[in-house]
Amino acid sequence: MLKNLLSRAEVIGLSRKHSKEYETKRITPAQETEAAEDGWRVTRKGKKSLRVAKDKRKSDLLESRVWMLFYKMGFQHLSGKNGCTLALSGDGTGGPEDQLDVVAADSEVALAVECKSVENPKKDTSLPDWISRFAAMRKRFADGVRTVVAADGKRHVGMIVFTWDIILTDNDTARAEEHGVTLFDHSDLEYFEALVNHLGVAARYQFLCDIFRGKPIHGLEVRVPALRTKMGKNTCYTFSIRPEYLLKIGYVAHRAKGKAIDVDMYQRMISKGRLRNIAEYISEGGSFPTNIVINIREKRYAEFQRGEQKGDEEGALFGWLILRPAYGCAWIIDGQHRLFAYSGHDRAEKAHLNVLAYEALSSGEQAQMFVDINSEQRKVKRSLLVELDADLKWSAAEEDDRIQAIISKVGLAVDSDLDSPLRNRILLSDVKRTEQRCISLTAISAALSRQGFFVVTRKKDITDYGPFWRPDPTLALKRSIHAVKAWFAAIAGAAADWWSIGAAEGGGLAMNNGVTICLNVLRTVMEHIGYGDLRTLDNDDLVARLDPYAKCLGNFFARMSQDEKQRFRQLQGSDGQIMGTRQCQEAIRSDFPQFSPPQLLEWIES
C-alpha cells in the first residue's frame, strides 16, 4: 500500500514550499537567540512573533528540486510532505514501511525517486547494495500506485536515483543497469531544470525518453499519408503531422545532457529567446515551409503500406505510414525550436508540421546531417566541430578519426566528472567564457593529438601505439580520462591556490597555455619512462607510475614567486609553450637526473 500520494490540486501549497531554497517558521522574540545559534535569520519582525528563515540542508534541497521538476512537468499525482511510504505488507495494516523521497504518477507512468547527496564529492561504497534493495521495491510500488491512480492501459514504472556530489563508479552504473534503475547526477538535474523552464510540460517526454527509451507509448499509434523515397542509401518519408503528436514522440539529443561516454549527443541547447520569438510568429498566423528533419531510430516503429499509384512510380511511392511510437523513437535532427515553440500553444492541436523522416540512421550520420544543415544556415564554431568529432568519428573507418573522437570525449569528460580538477573549466560551444571556464576544448584536443599519447609512430602498415591506446575505443577512453584527471589532480593539488584563480588576475596555470604545457610535459615523461612499458600497465598502475613526476611538476608551480607566475602567464603561442615546457622539464630533471628529453640539455646550455 502506498501512502501520501496526492492529487495535483492537493499539493499547490506544498509547491510553494518546495520552490524555495530556504525554509521558514514563526517564533517568539524570546526564541530569537536560540534560533540564531541554530542558523535561523530574521526576515520579518512583528509585535508578538518573528518570521525566520534558514537555507535548506543539501539533502532537503535536492528533494525539493526533484519534486518541483515533476510538478512543472505536469504530473497529476505527487508525493505529499516528507514523501510517500510503501508498506511491506500488501494490505498496509501495520508493520515496517519503506520511505520514498519523491513519487510522481499519472495514468501512463509511475516514478519512484530516491535522492542521495553528500557534502563534498566522494564515492559511496554502499551504493550498489542500496540500489539492489531499492529495485526490489518495484512490484510493491507498482501495486501501491494502482490503488491510488487508475492506469490507462499498461503503466510504465520507473525507479530513479538522483545523486549530488556522489562520484559514481563503474560498479554503481553496472548495478543500476542490471536492476533497471536510472541514475541521474546533479548535472542531469540542472539540465532537466533548464529544459522544463524552457519547454514547460513538453520537457516531460524528453525526461521519460531517458527512463523508458524503446518502450511503447500506449494510445499513440497513428496512420498518415506519406511519400517514401531514397536519399542516397537512406530510406526516408515525407508527411504532415500535428505538433502535439510530434512533441510526444520527439527526442532531442542535447550535448548539455550527454556524458562523455555517450556517442549520440550532438544538438545545441534550446534557446528560450528563440522559442518565444517563434511562438509569437505562430500566434500571428505564421507557418513553416521547411521540414522538421527527424530520424526514426528503428524500422519497427514505422510501417509503410503502399497505396495505389497514379503516374510515374520513379523516385517516390505514395502510401500510408503507420507510426507505432515508443519513448525516444523519433530523434529531432533539425527544427527543434520550430517544434518546441508549439509546447503549450493553443495551435499545437490544430496546426500541421511538414516532416522529413529518415529511417534507422546511425548517431554519426545524424550528427553529420546536423552539421551539414546548420553549416549552410550559419557558421559552425570550431569548438562545436571538435565536440561533434566525438559523434561523427566514433565509428569511423579510419583509426586516426576514431582516436580524434576519443580525444574529444576526454575533453568533455574532464569538464563534467565530479572528481576532475578540470570540472567546469572547459570552454564548450554552448557556454560563456568566465575566469574559471577559460580552457578551450580545441586546446585540449590539439595537445592530446600529438604523437606519444595514442600513436607514437606510423610506418606503412606498422603502428607503434602510445600508452593511452586500447583497441576497444571505450576502454581507450576510460584509460585516457583516468590518466589525464590523475595528472592534473596532482598538479592542482600541489599548486591549489594558483590553479583556483583560473584566468583572473594572478592566474595563468589553469588556462590554455598552462594546460597545454602540462600535457606536453606528460608526453615527454611517458617517453622517458618508455611508451611500450607504460602501454602494458593497467589504468591504476599507469597513474601510479606517472604520479611522482606529476607531483614534482605541481611542486615546481607551487614554489614560483609572483613574478615567475606572471612571466609564465606571458608565455604565448607555440614559442611560449615550448619555453614553458622546457622550464618544467628542467625542474623535473632536478629531482630525476636521468630525465633528459630531446633538446633539453641544449636548451639549458643556451
Side-chain angles (χ1 to χ4, degrees):
M1 183 176 180
L2 187 67
K3 300 178 183 177
N4 206 28
L5 183 61
L6 308 177
S7 69
R8 191 172 183 84
E10 295 176 291
V11 296
I12 294 175
L14 184 59
S15 70
R16 289 192 286 269
K17 294 182 178 180
H18 277 306
S19 67
K20 299 174 182 177
E21 296 185 354
Y22 55 88
E23 51 186 319
T24 62
K25 67 178 182 178
R26 289 188 179 277
I27 61 172
T28 64
Q31 297 172 309
E32 182 177 357
T33 301
E34 182 181 353
E37 292 174 351
D38 197 30
W40 294 90
R41 58 186 181 275
V42 177
T43 60
R44 184 183 302 171
K45 287 189 175 184
K47 292 182 179 180
K48 296 183 178 181
S49 66
L50 305 176
R51 176 177 287 275
V52 293
K54 181 170 69 171
D55 292 339
K56 290 179 180 177
R57 295 180 303 170
K58 193 172 186 178
S59 57
D60 294 335
L61 180 58
L62 178 59
E63 290 182 20
S64 288
R65 289 172 62 185
V66 171
W67 191 96
M68 283 303 300
L69 179 69
F70 295 130
Y71 182 79
K72 291 180 179 180
M73 286 181 179
F75 280 91
Q76 295 304 303
H77 290 80
L78 290 159
S79 48
K81 185 179 179 181
N82 299 324
C84 288
T85 54
L86 184 63
L88 291 177
S89 59
D91 57 7
T93 55
E97 295 178 327
D98 286 316
Q99 192 267 345
L100 296 172
D101 293 332
V102 181
V103 172
D106 56 26
S107 61
E108 297 176 354
V109 301
L111 308 176
V113 185
E114 285 290 275
C115 301
K116 295 184 75 66
S117 64
V118 291
E119 288 305 313
N120 298 300
K122 67 177 183 179
K123 298 176 182 178
D124 184 351
T125 57
S126 66
L127 191 58
D129 290 339
W130 182 89
I131 289 172
S132 299
R133 292 193 297 272
F134 177 54
M137 303 181 198
R138 183 187 301 270
K139 186 178 184 307
R140 282 192 293 122
F141 172 67
D143 293 340
V145 172
R146 194 179 301 116
T147 64
V148 182
V149 184
D152 183 10
K154 183 179 179 181
R155 178 188 278 125
H156 294 302
V157 175
M159 309 296 285
I160 306 169
V161 179
F162 275 94
T163 66
W164 191 353
D165 279 345
I166 294 178
I167 299 172
L168 299 176
T169 66
D170 290 343
N171 193 23
D172 297 333
T173 54
R175 185 67 61 89
E177 184 175 350
E178 176 188 353
H179 290 289
V181 173
T182 303
L183 284 179
F184 288 131
D185 61 19
H186 188 250
S187 63
D188 295 322
L189 176 58
E190 290 180 321
Y191 164 76
F192 286 122
E193 286 175 331
L195 198 65
V196 78
N197 287 335
H198 284 31
L199 303 181
V201 295
R204 158 198 170 94
Y205 287 96
Q206 294 283 294
F207 180 81
L208 295 179
C209 281
D210 274 349
I211 303 168
F212 303 122
R213 186 169 301 172
K215 293 186 177 181
I217 305 176
H218 302 293
L220 282 188
E221 182 174 314
V222 68
R223 186 171 182 260
V224 295
L227 292 176
R228 183 179 70 182
T229 189
K230 283 275 189 180
M231 289 193 181
K233 64 177 182 177
N234 299 309
T235 299
C236 57
Y237 306 96
T238 303
F239 56 92
S240 179
I241 203 164
R242 290 186 177 89
E244 180 189 41
Y245 183 88
L246 195 54
L247 283 167
K248 293 179 179 179
I249 70 170
Y251 181 76
V252 181
H254 288 132
R255 294 188 316 283
K257 168 65 175 65
K259 302 296 191 298
I261 59 172
D262 292 333
V263 187
D264 48 12
M265 298 293 172
Y266 55 87
Q267 284 266 33
R268 299 179 178 97
M269 184 58 172
I270 286 173
S271 165
K272 195 170 185 178
R274 287 188 67 194
L275 284 179
R276 183 171 55 251
N277 293 337
I278 295 174
E280 291 174 357
Y281 172 73
I282 294 170
S283 297
E284 294 169 357
S287 59
F288 307 105
T290 53
N291 291 326
I292 304 290
V293 183
I294 70 173
N295 175 46
I296 299 174
R297 299 205 74 191
E298 297 181 28
K299 294 181 179 180
R300 63 190 173 104
Y301 299 132
E303 176 188 346
F304 184 76
Q305 296 178 343
R306 180 174 173 176
E308 181 182 352
Q309 305 298 306
K310 293 184 179 181
D312 190 357
E313 295 188 7
E314 292 294 324
L317 292 176
F318 169 76
W320 295 90
L321 185 64
I322 300 174
L323 296 174
R324 300 186 177 94
Y327 290 103
C329 71
W331 284 44
I332 311 299
I333 298 174
D334 185 61
Q336 61 168 341
H337 288 91
R338 280 170 281 157
L339 172 61
F340 286 116
Y342 279 100
S343 175
H345 200 287
D346 56 9
R347 292 197 62 196
E349 301 178 4
K350 305 170 185 176
H352 281 78
L353 290 171
N354 294 322
V355 176
L356 175 62
Y358 286 83
E359 185 178 77
L361 294 179
S362 69
S363 58
E365 289 172 319
Q366 291 180 72
Q368 184 64 61
M369 190 173 295
F370 169 80
V371 171
D372 292 343
I373 293 171
N374 285 276
S375 62
E376 294 299 320
Q377 299 175 5
R378 69 177 92 171
K379 183 179 179 181
V380 179
K381 295 180 182 178
R382 171 60 186 160
S383 58
L384 173 59
L385 292 176
V386 174
E387 290 177 45
L388 291 179
D389 278 345
D391 304 297
L392 297 174
K393 299 179 179 179
W394 184 259
S395 302
E398 295 295 326
E399 188 173 82
D400 284 343
D401 287 338
R402 297 198 298 274
I403 290 173
Q404 198 58 51
I406 294 169
I407 290 171
S408 295
K409 285 182 175 290
V410 171
L412 296 173
V414 297
D415 177 69
S416 62
D417 287 0
L418 280 174
D419 57 344
S420 170
L422 289 161
R423 176 172 169 78
N424 296 330
R425 298 289 189 125
I426 310 298
L427 185 60
L428 305 178
S429 61
D430 283 340
V431 297
K432 293 182 179 180
R433 187 183 189 277
T434 67
E435 291 180 342
Q436 295 296 308
R437 193 182 281 279
C438 60
I439 303 165
S440 74
L441 183 61
T442 305
I444 296 279
S445 176
L448 290 175
S449 296
R450 292 176 178 146
Q451 288 187 333
F453 291 103
F454 294 90
V455 172
V456 179
T457 58
R458 288 193 192 277
K459 294 181 180 178
K460 294 183 179 180
D461 296 331
I462 300 175
T463 301
D464 183 18
Y465 291 104
F468 286 4
W469 172 254
R470 288 293 182 268
D472 183 327
T474 301
L475 295 180
L477 173 61
K478 291 182 177 180
R479 182 176 178 85
S480 308
I481 294 170
H482 191 54
V484 170
K485 287 196 301 188
W487 180 257
F488 282 104
I491 294 169
D497 291 341
W498 195 18
W499 181 267
S500 65
I501 295 173
E505 184 177 353
L509 178 56
M511 295 178 65
N512 279 342
N513 284 310
V515 168
T516 298
I517 289 168
C518 290
L519 288 173
N520 288 345
V521 174
L522 170 60
R523 184 164 50 88
T524 60
V525 166
M526 292 193 297
E527 182 181 18
H528 164 68
I529 297 172
Y531 292 127
D533 292 339
L534 292 176
R535 193 170 59 244
T536 63
L537 301 178
D538 66 25
N539 295 353
D540 289 336
D541 287 341
L542 170 64
V543 166
R545 191 73 176 84
L546 298 172
D547 186 61
Y549 298 89
K551 288 178 178 176
C552 176
L553 181 58
N555 290 333
F556 167 65
F557 289 134
R559 292 193 302 268
M560 279 187 173
S561 67
Q562 290 302 319
D563 288 342
E564 289 171 330
K565 290 177 181 178
Q566 181 63 28
R567 288 195 293 271
F568 184 87
R569 179 169 184 161
Q570 292 171 348
L571 299 174
Q572 298 294 321
S574 58
D575 289 342
Q577 290 171 5
I578 292 172
M579 174 69 75
T581 300
R582 294 302 185 203
Q583 291 174 355
C584 294
Q585 290 171 335
E586 182 182 18
I588 291 177
R589 180 176 169 80
S590 64
D591 284 359
F592 298 91
Q594 299 303 314
F595 179 68
S596 183
Q599 288 83 53
L600 176 61
L601 293 180
E602 292 87 338
W603 179 84
I604 293 174
E605 291 173 359
S606 66

